[in-house]
């Protein structure tokens, strides 16, 4: 196995006003390593996978030029204006259809996004300079990682829950370096990230700044709790016990990654307050006044009664159960406009 690690998720905010950059940086193409992000299809919810997609194994999300240290929350993006052209990836197209499918069924749109946003920033990196090389290299890294086989060899198979370290150690035993793991609600494994050294093009241990990055979708599994590895068929793993999903157990005020519900003053914005939030934390969270002209990640959008009320509003994709438009896709749990470096 090559010793390289690629990581799976990055925030998409603009540069912050502080000393450390944040989000998509179109002004500086520099980066420190590549992040390979793979997703577990069974955790993607109500997906519409295209014909020919192999969803029995991990599929690709992306190969992302990424940064470490003080710049860990930023990444270079859209470094040139070159558009994705399917005719340029003919040599790897069949593999892309099988192992890099879009959960929406819109492969060309997905690949175009990954190339325009991330691939164009590899235009001076040896072995990744053109579209065929970039997509081919990502597919090769996914194959070398052999994530599902690595987990199976370590006794980790879909349809059960496991200690975080057991899953991480199984991958490290096969690949040689530890992965990053991202979870959805209920501490359900959704993505695995592997860091890759851009000079040697081999898997490498992720920098400590990457391993401890806060709020990143590729590294937000709760390492103190069992991780659910859901199966596409048969019963899902037993969810955390009800006592774990309470503010009495969690405490009030802080966001806790990987938990099935939250107990901070923003939980109402995400419709994920624990049932005992009011009685335990002593207040009812009040969402901010919704904007009337757009959907913003982390906030309620304009009021609505049906999806058709939202589709013409900037960044809105559906009417949520809260009665407000949202940019959050039910299949991924992420904002289509980008809190994270997503599809």
């Amino acid at each position: 196995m090559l010793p390289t690690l690629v990581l799976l998720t990055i925030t998409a905010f603009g540069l912050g006003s502080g000393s450390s950059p944040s989000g998509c940086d179109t002004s500086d193409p520099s980066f420190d390593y590549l992040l390979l992000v793979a997703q577990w299809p069974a955790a993607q919810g109500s997906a519409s996978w295209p014909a020919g997609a192999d969803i029995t194994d991990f599929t690709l999300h992306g190969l992302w030029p990424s940064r470490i240290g003080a710049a860990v929350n930023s990444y270079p993006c859209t470094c040139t204006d070159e558009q994705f052209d399917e005719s340029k990836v003919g040599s790897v197209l069949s593999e892309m259809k099988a192992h890099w499918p879009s959960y929406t069924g819109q492969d060309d749109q997905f690949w175009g996004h990954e190339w325009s946003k991330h691939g164009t920033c590899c235009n001076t990196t040896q072995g990744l300079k053109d579209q065929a090389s970039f997509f081919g290299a990502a597919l090769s890294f996914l194959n070398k990682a052999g994530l599902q086989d690595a987990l199976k060899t370590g006794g980790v198979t879909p349809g059960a829950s496991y200690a975080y370290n057991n899953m991480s150690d199984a991958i490290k035993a096969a690949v040689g370096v530890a992965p990053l793991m991202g979870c959805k609600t209920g501490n359900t494994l959704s993505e695995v990230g592997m860091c890759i050294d851009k000079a040697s093009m081999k898997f490498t241990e992720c920098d400590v700044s990457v391993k401890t990055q806060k709020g990143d979708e590729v590294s937000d599994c709760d390492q103190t709790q069992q991780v659910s590895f859901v199966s596409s068929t048969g019963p899902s793993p037993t969810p955390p016990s009800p006592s774990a999903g309470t503010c009495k157990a969690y405490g009030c005020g802080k966001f806790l990654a990987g938990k099935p519900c939250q107990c901070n003053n923003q939980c109402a914005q995400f419709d994920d307050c624990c049932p005992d939030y009011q009685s335990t934390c002593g207040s009812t969270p009040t969402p901010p006044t919704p904007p009337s002209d757009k959907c913003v990640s982390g906030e309620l959008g304009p009021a609505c009664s049906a999806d058709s009320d939202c589709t013409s509003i900037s960044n809105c994709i559906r009417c949520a159960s809260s009665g407000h438009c949202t940019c959050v896709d039910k299949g991924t749990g992420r904002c289509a406009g980008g809190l994270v470096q997503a599809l």
Side-chain angles (χ1 to χ4, degrees):
M1 296 291 179
L2 290 180
T4 305
L5 179 57
V6 181
L7 187 62
L8 238 164
T9 285
I10 301 176
T11 56
F13 295 121
L15 291 177
S17 57
S19 57
S20 299
S22 177
C24 170
D25 181 1
T26 59
S27 64
D28 179 5
S30 67
F31 63 95
D32 301 304
Y33 72 102
L34 292 161
L35 180 60
L36 180 72
V37 180
Q39 57 188 357
W40 180 237
Q44 304 313 312
S46 56
S48 299
W49 299 103
D54 179 5
I55 58 173
T56 65
D57 202 345
F58 283 89
T59 61
L60 272 169
H61 183 165
L63 181 62
W64 302 339
S66 305
R67 295 169 177 165
I68 64 174
V72 69
N73 289 319
S74 70
Y75 57 93
C77 66
T78 317
C79 296
T80 75
D81 60 4
E82 182 182 352
Q83 299 299 302
F84 173 72
D85 184 345
E86 189 173 292
S87 69
K88 295 182 178 181
V89 296
S91 60
V92 293
L93 185 58
S94 61
E95 291 183 72
M96 291 170 64
K97 290 180 177 180
H99 306 297
W100 202 331
S102 168
Y103 77 93
T104 67
Q106 304 299 315
D107 282 349
D108 282 353
Q109 182 179 354
F110 182 29
W111 300 332
H113 171 90
E114 291 300 315
W115 169 255
S116 298
K117 190 171 186 179
H118 307 297
T120 57
C121 295
C122 296
N123 63 331
T124 61
T125 303
Q126 189 64 36
L128 302 175
K129 293 181 179 180
D130 58 59
Q131 295 187 33
S133 298
F134 173 77
F135 286 100
L139 288 162
S140 178
F141 284 130
L142 180 69
N143 182 57
K144 289 171 182 175
L147 297 173
Q148 188 171 18
D149 285 344
L151 289 168
K152 183 178 180 180
T153 299
V156 177
T157 56
S161 295
Y162 304 88
Y164 180 96
N165 287 341
N166 289 352
M167 301 182 78
S168 177
D169 290 348
I171 293 174
K172 184 172 183 177
V175 184
V177 297
L180 302 174
M181 297 199 300
C183 287
K184 291 186 175 181
T185 299
N187 221 36
T188 298
L189 181 69
S190 175
E191 295 181 312
V192 173
M194 302 295 295
C195 293
I196 298 172
D197 181 84
K198 69 176 185 177
S200 66
M201 298 300 279
K202 295 181 178 180
F203 291 117
T204 185
E205 288 289 344
C206 292
D207 185 79
V208 64
S209 62
V210 176
K211 293 180 179 180
T212 57
Q213 186 179 8
K214 301 297 183 182
D216 189 87
E217 70 171 278
V218 179
S219 57
D220 62 357
C221 289
D222 184 346
Q223 299 185 27
T224 68
Q225 301 290 325
Q226 293 270 302
V227 176
S228 297
F229 189 22
V230 297
S231 174
S232 57
T233 60
S236 297
T238 303
S241 63
S243 61
T246 65
C247 294
K248 184 177 181 180
Y250 295 160
C252 301
K254 293 183 178 180
F255 171 78
L256 300 175
K259 300 299 185 183
C261 59
Q262 296 295 327
C263 302
N264 58 18
N265 60 8
Q266 293 183 315
C267 62
Q269 298 179 28
F270 297 92
D271 292 327
D272 65 352
C273 295
C274 290
D276 65 337
Y277 177 84
Q278 186 171 358
S279 60
T280 301
C281 300
S283 63
T284 300
T286 302
T289 301
S292 60
D293 59 347
K294 61 183 177 180
C295 284
V296 178
S297 185
E299 299 180 10
L300 294 174
C304 61
S305 58
D307 289 348
S308 58
D309 296 333
C310 304
T311 54
S312 62
I313 300 174
S314 177
N315 209 36
C316 302
I317 61 173
R318 64 183 177 88
C319 185
S321 58
S322 61
H324 293 269
C325 296
T326 181
C327 62
V328 176
D329 187 289
K330 289 192 291 186
T332 65
R334 298 190 292 268
C335 181
L339 253 188
V340 293
Q341 188 173 355
L343 302 178

